[in-house]
């Protein structure tokens, strides 16, 4: 018990201090307000951060603490911001999911989000309250790998660009939500424009009323990405769309996919990239084309029949003879056929862990939840449901209710674990589209391994099945397998990829397909898991998991004080 | 000390019990939600009560207790409802003024307003939060006189109709508010339509995009008021306009004005009635015209140069040969010249207390507050100010802050009592339009008599002065005098009408004019006093009075729990 332990102790201390010294705290002061914006040249009232949509990019280094002091300067409307892809280990109350992890932030109030970005990668943030995300409250989070650490990038590049993809409507989120809740439903329809870094171009600008659209407004001038000939660039690409599945292409520049949702993947080359709402990717491109002309960056709708023009930006070479502002001499790429499901399916399957960064999944699950995704009708309203249960948010956030012992705050009956899959025809319209609503949640044994299989099916209209990008809060999950057709629990698990499955936080369930995931319930908190299409979640397409809330200390008072816990 | 006192006691008890037995409790269950409405035939997302705008009329008898259980079913937006004209004696927390008397009601929350309607008369309710009133949250309160009581009506009639006047915009209240807060200001502009009982007719309906306007939508079919030939009708008329001063006329039927803001007035006959936002009137008409044709009810903008078509409804005789749905054979009345200030001034002056219902004012004031109404600029923004102080609502409602001892919740410095009136040229543009903002309030000695003189002046634009309808919460005030020009404290009070001034809760300050009021600070609470033009209050045109809050018991917990008093 003499010197060596003391020495070790000192060594540990020195190392810890070094780590502390390296880990920075990144402070941000944000004010949320409505501002008139011309994102696609048409004037629209948008929810902005410090006057901007998208909001400022959060940049940090792995291990940093991010502190965002959000002041709600809206007039009558509350707010909450979700840090999409950040697992919030130890800070589940900072997940920003109104109704799940926190009370809304009232006008005039300040809410401070504090969390550690423990993994490098490309993430995003956006409102998680009502349909405010589609009103403009969104942005990027870029976390660099700690230099020399175990998560250092297994690829090299000379420069970096960031691409935030979005879809954009001229109607307000209020009108969209009111339409979705109407009997009969008034669907949001296809977006008016597709945005790249908050910039688009509404094709019918000149047909709008005087003053409503200004095709030369600087806010809608296309983004120009400049590259040096011969260099390799990392493009970080995120999609925060409300509805659209997108295909992204950089004309003439094949992309090597190297990261997905903050995890390094086995590199594969694509002409263009399918990206679903809530997903992020990094790709590498080589600036090896003729530098004397510009090239299109193009965003196209896939999976739904497109009703929206290609969203564009411009790639321009330094030192070339073309002005960065000159449109490329070509027509923008139009992407693959919108209904080529197998084209997209193959990219999904090709996305596996980088050989040097495989984190093997647990070999088996303690519990399997099989979720049939259907469109239903409840009281004349069109809804989405899982196993015929359509999700509703409770009046008191789950985390607040559970830590305050408010037993009656939500339905104590857990939603169903499975559906009557034997003989179910996923290609037919469900004979009985009735469903119930519930705010019940799935309670997971802490530390247990959970499989979720998402089974897609036909919608209310015949011959129709959509792509649903499902996003899990508080965790990454291993993507064990994808299939087309009906998942058979007796057959398909045998061929799951347990060798090198990619870890993600958002994954597509393809039309008439299924996707199998595995995660470990080891992050104390309450976590939403839902379709990232904003209208679909609004219509009930989500569930909630709870694990280990008993391990959490008292909640910060900021997140409490609403619903049955209105504190007074 | 024998029988007589005991007998008296029993008599009092019996009388009290009888009174209690008579006084009913009127329960209402309301749900506030957004719904698409076609109030002026154009489709607009409106804030509704139980799906309707205007909301249901509250009917009660003097002395009743009204209980309104309001559920906020908006998605992300809070709410609060003000019971305009109800003094809330003993229930100042039920005044519904967000930021003054209560915290906002969150989505999913239920707030129960309980108050006594202690005087008969015509009143209204409307949102008092942000600019929600103009989004459609408004309606009527009709309180009948207790039969045989001292407030029985000094006039007779055979039937009754109710008329709620409003102005209507197609842009959302959000867009209006964002425009008002912009640099430079984007003014709300003239309304698209004028509504009578929530029904209007947008004149450019056919020019709107497909589906945006339906000229035959039942929601915009004009209201028909049916009368029996030879009978006398009371029309209760209220204006809840956001902006417009109105002139109301029933074609061919002179109106005898008998009530204003819940007080009986000395009857006078008008061809048409000027009515300002926040005012109510009752008029009597005799159904003595040719019953074989219909007649217009017409609402026209006055005081601002009209940019809006006449709002109309139809008066139809029972038993006449004209279908109630047939438009009258004439052109709707267009009212007096919009800029005939003296026409409106004379009606103001003519409105005095009914001889049998005079409540004489205290002979003198303990304190006089002289408020110069000006348009100003602060940080590039256009504002309204009183004595060059532009009002802002505090983050914590005054009543909550004061009863919780939160000293730092608002500016402790009282706003100025007067302005440099000597030699001030109210007809000129103010040479220095600078102003400051403040959330300070005027603290009144409990029981003291307060005079307020509202002095109008020129706006930022030359040769421009508007009409401002000022509304006082928690009290009625005596209207002592009106003038045109500069009020002189040394001269004008000498000729105040102390004999039979009318009591009102809302009064016009005419262009370049002044209005002198007196009230007794005898209602413990915190009370807003402000221009009832929604955009003007939003831009700072208001003040707040406090009196006797120390006499109030603990607040109901429902009104607390926000701002610095977020209770957790």
């Amino acid at each position: 018990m003499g010197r060596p332990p003391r020495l070790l102790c000192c060594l540990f201390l020195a190392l810890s201090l070094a780590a502390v010294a390296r880990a920075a705290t990144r402070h941000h002061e944000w004010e949320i307000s409505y501002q008139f914006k011309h994102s696609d040249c048409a004037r629209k009232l948008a929810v902005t951060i410090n006057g901007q949509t998208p909001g400022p990019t959060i940049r940090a280094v792995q291990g940093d603490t991010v502190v965002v002091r959000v002041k709600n300067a809206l007039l009558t409307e509350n707010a909450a911001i979700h840090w999409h892809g950040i697992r919030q280990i130890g800070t589940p109350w900072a997940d920003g999911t109104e109704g799940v992890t926190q009370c809304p932030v009232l006008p005039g109030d300040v809410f401070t989000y504090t969390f550690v970005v423990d993994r490098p990668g490309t993430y995003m943030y956006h409102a998680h309250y009502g349909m405010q995300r589609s009103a403009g409250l969104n942005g990027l989070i870029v976390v660099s790998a700690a230099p020399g650490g175990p998560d250092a990038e297994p690829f090299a590049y000379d420069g970096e660009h960031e691409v935030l993809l979005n879809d954009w409507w001229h109607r307000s989120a209020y009108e969209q939500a009111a339409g979705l809740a109407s009997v009969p439903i008034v669907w949001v329809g296809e977006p008016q424009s597709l945005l790249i870094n908050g910039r688009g171009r509404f094709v019918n600008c000149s047909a709008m009323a005087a003053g409503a659209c200004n095709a030369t407004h600087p806010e809608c001038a296309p983004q120009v990405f400049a590259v040096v000939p011969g260099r390799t660039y990392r493009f970080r690409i995120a999609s925060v769309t409300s509805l659209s599945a997108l295909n992204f292409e950089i004309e003439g520049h094949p992309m090597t996919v190297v990261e997905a949702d903050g995890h390094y993947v086995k590199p594969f080359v694509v002409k263009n990239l399918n990206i679903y709402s809530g997903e992020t990717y990094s790709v590498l491109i080589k600036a090896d084309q003729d530098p004397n002309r510009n090239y299109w960056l193009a965003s196209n709708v896939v999976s739904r029949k497109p009703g929206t023009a290609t969203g564009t930006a411009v790639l321009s070479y330094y030192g070339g003879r073309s002005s960065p502002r000159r449109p490329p001499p070509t027509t923008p790429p139009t992407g693959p056929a919108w209904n080529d499901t197998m084209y997209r399916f193959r990219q999904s399957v090709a996305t596996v862990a980088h050989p040097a960064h495989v984190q093997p999944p647990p070999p088996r699950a303690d519990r399997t939840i099989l979720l049939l995704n259907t469109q239903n009708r409840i009281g004349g309203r069109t809804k989405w449901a899982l196993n015929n249960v359509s999700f509703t948010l409770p009046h008191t956030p789950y985390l607040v209710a559970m830590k305050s012992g408010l037993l009656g705050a939500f339905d104590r009956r857990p939603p169903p674990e499975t559906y009557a899959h034997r003989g179910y025809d996923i290609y037919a319209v469900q004979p009985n589209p009735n469903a119930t609503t519930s705010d019940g949640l799935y309670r997971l044994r802490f530390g247990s391994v959970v499989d979720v299989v998402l089974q897609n099916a036909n919608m209310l209209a015949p011959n129709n099945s959509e792509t649903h990008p499902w996003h899990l809060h508080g965790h990454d999950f291993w993507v064990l397998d994808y299939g087309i057709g009906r998942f058979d629990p007796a057959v398909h698990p045998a061929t799951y990829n347990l060798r090198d499955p990619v870890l993600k936080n958002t994954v597509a369930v393809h039309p008439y397909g299924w996707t199998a995931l595995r995660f470990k319930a080891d992050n104390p908190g309450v976590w939403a898991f839902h379709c990232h299409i904003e209208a679909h979640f609004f219509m009930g397409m989500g569930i909630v998991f709870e694990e280990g809330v008993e391990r959490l200390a008292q909640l910060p008072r900021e997140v409490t004080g609403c619903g049955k816990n209105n504190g007074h």
Side-chain angles (χ1 to χ4, degrees), chain A residues 216-228:
Chain A
T216 61
H217 199 287
E219 285 172 0
C220 60
Q223 175 99 50
V224 176
F225 297 89
V227 292
V228 174

Side-chain angles (χ1 to χ4, degrees), chain A residues 410-479:
Chain A
F410 57 88
D411 192 340
R412 307 300 288 179
R413 291 167 301 179
E417 301 269 313
T418 187
Y419 74 105
H421 55 85
R422 229 173 267 257
Y424 187 94
D425 185 359
I426 62 152
Y427 293 99
V429 174
Q430 196 178 197
N432 177 0
N434 283 347
T436 54
T437 60
S438 173
D439 59 8
L441 49 60
Y442 294 85
R443 303 194 71 161
L444 306 178
R445 184 168 57 75
F446 187 73
S448 64
V449 176
V450 179
D451 276 9
V452 178
V453 182
L454 296 155
Q455 173 69 62
N456 212 339
N458 201 95
M459 298 165 61
L460 287 171
N463 302 313
N464 237 315
S465 183
E466 296 187 345
T467 306
H468 300 287
W470 276 77
H471 171 61
L472 178 59
H473 293 224
H475 308 78
D476 295 325
F477 47 71
W478 289 275
V479 183

Side-chain angles (χ1 to χ4, degrees), chain A residues 145-158:
Chain A
D151 293 325
E153 292 128 0
F155 47 84
Y157 50 97
D158 304 303

Side-chain angles (χ1 to χ4, degrees), chain A residues 16 21 167 172 324 436 511:
Chain A
S16 304
D167 44 11
S172 71
T436 54

Side-chain angles (χ1 to χ4, degrees), chain A residues 534-557:
Chain A
E534 196 155 51
H536 287 184
F537 183 46
F538 178 84
M539 294 161 78
M541 200 168 198
I543 63 172
V544 170
F545 294 119
E546 175 277 327
E547 68 214 39
V549 288
E550 69 285 354
R551 294 168 179 253
L552 295 170
Q554 211 188 336
L555 301 179
R557 58 183 208 134

Side-chain angles (χ1 to χ4, degrees), chain A residues 121-122 142-143 160-163 234-238 259 281-282:
Chain A
T122 309
V142 173
V143 184
E160 180 174 316
H161 285 300
E162 287 142 18
V163 173
R234 176 182 191 168
F235 276 72
R236 295 180 183 266
I237 308 160
E259 181 217 342
Y281 289 93
S282 284

Side-chain angles (χ1 to χ4, degrees), chain A residues 234-245:
Chain A
R234 176 182 191 168
F235 276 72
R236 295 180 183 266
I237 308 160
S239 171
V240 73
T241 55
S242 292
L243 172 65
S244 311

Side-chain angles (χ1 to χ4, degrees), chain A residues 301-306 334-341 344 464-465 467:
Chain A
V301 169
V302 287
S303 174
R304 299 177 63 86
K305 190 174 179 184
T334 53
W338 70 269
N339 54 1
D340 188 348
T341 300
R344 299 193 304 279
N464 237 315
S465 183
T467 306

